[in-house]
Amino acid sequence: MIFLLETVRLGLSNLRLHLLRSFLTALGIILGVAAVIAMVSLGEGSKREAILQIEALGAKNIIVRSQRPAENEASQSQRQNRGSWISRYGLTRADLAVVRENFPEAEAIVPLKEVGSRMMRGALSRTSQAYGTTPELLDVAKLRISRGRYLTEADLEQQAMVCVIGQGVAREFFKFDDPLGATIRLDSKAFTIVGVLAPVGLAGGAGSALIGRDLNMDVHIPITTARSVMGDSVFRGSGGSFQNSTVEISEIYIAAKSRESVLTDAKRLQRIIDSRHTDTSDVAMIVPYELLENARKSQLTWNLVLGFIAGISLLVGGIGIMNIMLATVTERTREIGIRRALGATRRDILNQFLVETSVLSTGGGLLGVALGIGASWFIEWVAPRLPQAPFIGQYFSQAVNLPTYVTLGSVVLAFSVAVGVGLIFGIYPARRAAAQDPIVALRHD
């Protein structure tokens, strides 16, 4: 044991004699480990952000939505008259009844009905993004109230002229005023604001792209009010013409009983929709759980590719260790001969050189872990600030974001591979040193 400790001490002493060379030898390992950790953390961060955005739609939800059919299909249900288009498509109240009849086990079935063409307050006006719905939407769509309250069953029964607005509507229409208790107009109808939704992180993200709108600009009213007061027609004007769309139900949220039943329920629902909408493709279906699984699988592949690319630098670092250790063997041939003449065995010489390569790879691995974690944190911190940077800011989007997430697995894997690579590439120089003939070694200048 004492002899082994002396071997370790001797190996460390030899490394300290050439400290700069030892550091440069380990640099390949340091950068390799840091690259693996940083690149895998980028992939993992992007995956987690995408998963959070998709999960925000509800991992147990199935979303069925009306969509305008292709032009050749729509022509069968549209009529053009003096620059106006009148079209009827999408989900109907009969479809909603059939869905409720076929999914009695669902936790909730929530309809949304688009209403109004413009939302207005004073001189402010913008295209309406208002929907009639039920109180269950708050839980099913994972929405939160920041102020006031959401719609209630009493609002539905009384067909109340109340609404709940998104955070974006509150910022745009009530910059300096309290929206609670104020009114906002949908076309010619005035609605009293009873609540404001909390900001929805999907705005501008993957979830928003799936839904097709910025959820922060939504206005929710009781669905009974939407039917009786606003009707089924929605007008949109552009370039001197207008479009009158008649859609009874814009979206239906079906909350499945469990995640395990989502995909089965989605297939059954697709068959029902296909049987009721045979002529046109005016209904689309979104299954967040299916998208979630696809995102996980694709990101796993991406992480493996990133890890493989970064792992090449570890291989280069190992080759660097082998090259330097081979040079060290030649440089220390006379020392090896003296040690052998004094009684050191080939195993002792082998252990001495393996200690040195182990220290280089282990130390380099530890420094690489620290550098990789630091680089991951720095990337996430600096990315949002790049658009404001002088000279280079103009080349970056204002929405640039590079989330990172360092996993324990990537750290352990990178460090283990670094140590393994160092030892593997250090074995040949160590064996070559141990195989030296002591007499020939003593004659070496």
Side-chain angles (χ1 to χ4, degrees):
M1 182 67 181
I2 296 176
F3 190 77
L4 179 61
L5 292 176
E6 180 63 23
T7 301
V8 172
R9 187 194 66 78
L10 184 61
L12 293 175
S13 299
N14 287 327
L15 290 176
R16 281 199 301 269
L17 288 175
H18 306 282
L19 197 58
L20 180 60
R21 185 174 69 180
S22 299
F23 173 75
L24 293 176
T25 304
L27 191 60
I29 295 292
I30 295 171
L31 296 179
V33 171
V36 169
I37 293 174
M39 294 186 76
V40 171
S41 72
L42 269 172
E44 187 68 21
S46 299
K47 180 191 79 172
R48 286 175 176 265
E49 184 180 46
I51 288 174
L52 286 175
Q53 290 177 338
I54 295 172
E55 280 187 333
L57 295 176
K60 295 196 299 180
N61 289 345
I62 304 169
I63 306 169
V64 187
R65 59 187 305 192
S66 299
Q67 66 178 10
R68 188 176 300 280
E71 187 175 345
N72 59 339
E73 297 175 339
S75 61
Q76 301 174 10
S77 59
Q78 290 183 345
R79 176 171 56 85
Q80 186 175 20
N81 182 30
R82 295 181 182 178
S84 66
W85 283 96
I86 302 175
S87 61
R88 180 183 293 273
Y89 61 88
L91 296 163
T92 64
R93 283 184 276 275
D95 292 330
L96 177 61
V98 170
V99 170
R100 283 176 169 159
E101 181 181 348
N102 283 272
F103 290 89
E105 75 283 358
E107 289 186 356
I109 297 176
V110 183
L112 280 83
K113 173 179 174 54
E114 186 178 13
V115 295
S117 58
R118 304 293 296 178
M119 67 172 89
M120 297 166 285
R121 178 177 183 254
L124 296 174
S125 174
R126 66 167 291 144
T127 302
S128 173
Q129 196 168 290
Y131 295 87
T133 188
T134 64
E136 291 84 4
L137 181 67
L138 190 68
D139 292 328
V140 172
K142 310 299 181 185
L143 301 174
R144 294 179 296 109
I145 289 288
S146 65
R147 299 188 60 205
R149 65 172 177 85
Y150 197 63
L151 304 175
T152 64
E153 291 295 336
D155 293 332
L156 268 64
E157 293 173 4
Q158 299 167 11
Q159 298 182 17
M161 300 293 287
V162 297
C163 69
V164 177
I165 63 174
Q167 194 67 220
V169 177
R171 285 196 303 267
E172 185 172 330
F173 285 83
F174 300 91
K175 291 182 179 179
F176 307 106
D177 300 323
D178 185 359
L180 290 183
T183 60
I184 192 168
R185 301 183 73 85
L186 299 177
D187 294 343
S188 61
K189 311 298 181 182
F191 289 81
T192 301
I193 299 170
V194 295
V196 180
L197 294 171
V200 179
L202 296 176
S208 181
L210 292 173
I211 294 297
R213 67 180 187 272
D214 182 352
L215 301 179
N216 288 307
M217 298 306 297
D218 273 6
V219 175
H220 296 168
I221 67 173
I223 195 166
T224 52
T225 306
R227 292 173 184 168
S228 61
V229 177
M230 305 299 293
D232 291 335
S233 296
V234 176
F235 293 85
R236 291 286 187 266
S238 176
S241 65
F242 68 88
Q243 188 177 79
N244 180 359
S245 300
T246 300
V247 180
E248 294 182 9
I249 301 292
S250 301
E251 296 176 7
I252 302 175
Y253 278 72
I254 299 100
K257 190 175 182 180
S258 65
R259 287 193 182 189
E260 290 72 24
S261 65
V262 168
L263 297 181
T264 304
D265 289 348
K267 292 177 182 177
R268 183 154 55 100
L269 180 60
Q270 187 68 65
R271 289 195 296 268
I272 294 172
I273 295 299
D274 289 343
S275 68
R276 296 182 59 82
H277 295 259
T278 56
D279 297 331
T280 59
S281 56
D282 59 348
V283 177
M285 189 162 63
I286 301 170
V287 186
Y289 183 74
E290 189 174 44
L291 298 170
L292 189 64
E293 290 302 302
N294 290 339
R296 283 174 173 157
K297 290 176 182 176
S298 62
Q299 197 58 51
L300 175 61
T301 303
W302 182 239
N303 277 350
L304 290 174
V305 171
L306 289 178
F308 177 77
I309 294 172
I312 293 175
S313 58
L314 279 175
L315 182 65
V316 173
I319 294 173
I321 287 179
M322 183 173 70
N323 288 339
I324 294 299
M325 293 308 295
L326 284 173
T328 302
V329 169
T330 302
E331 181 183 280
R332 293 163 59 186
T333 299
R334 187 173 180 81
E335 174 193 330
I336 293 170
I338 294 173
R339 290 201 64 199
R340 290 296 306 278
L342 293 175
T345 64
R346 289 185 174 182
R347 179 178 293 275
D348 296 331
I349 302 299
L350 181 70
N351 289 339
Q352 179 185 345
F353 279 86
L354 283 180
V355 164
E356 294 181 19
T357 56
S358 298
V359 170
L360 287 174
S361 57
T362 303
L366 291 174
L367 289 175
V369 167
L371 181 61
I373 294 174
S376 299
W377 174 84
F378 179 75
I379 290 170
E380 185 171 11
W381 176 83
V382 78
R385 293 165 173 78
L386 288 175
Q388 286 75 44
F391 306 113
I392 63 171
Q394 58 182 319
Y395 301 108
F396 294 94
S397 167
Q398 291 297 321
V400 63
N401 183 31
L402 292 174
T404 60
Y405 186 86
V406 178
T407 62
L408 179 62
S410 66
V411 172
V412 172
L413 179 63
F415 179 74
S416 301
V417 171
V419 174
V421 165
L423 288 175
I424 290 171
F425 281 92
I427 286 175
Y428 175 71
R431 288 176 63 87
R432 183 170 174 177
Q436 293 272 4
D437 187 302
I439 297 175
V440 175
L442 284 170
R443 293 175 178 172
H444 190 273
D445 292 332

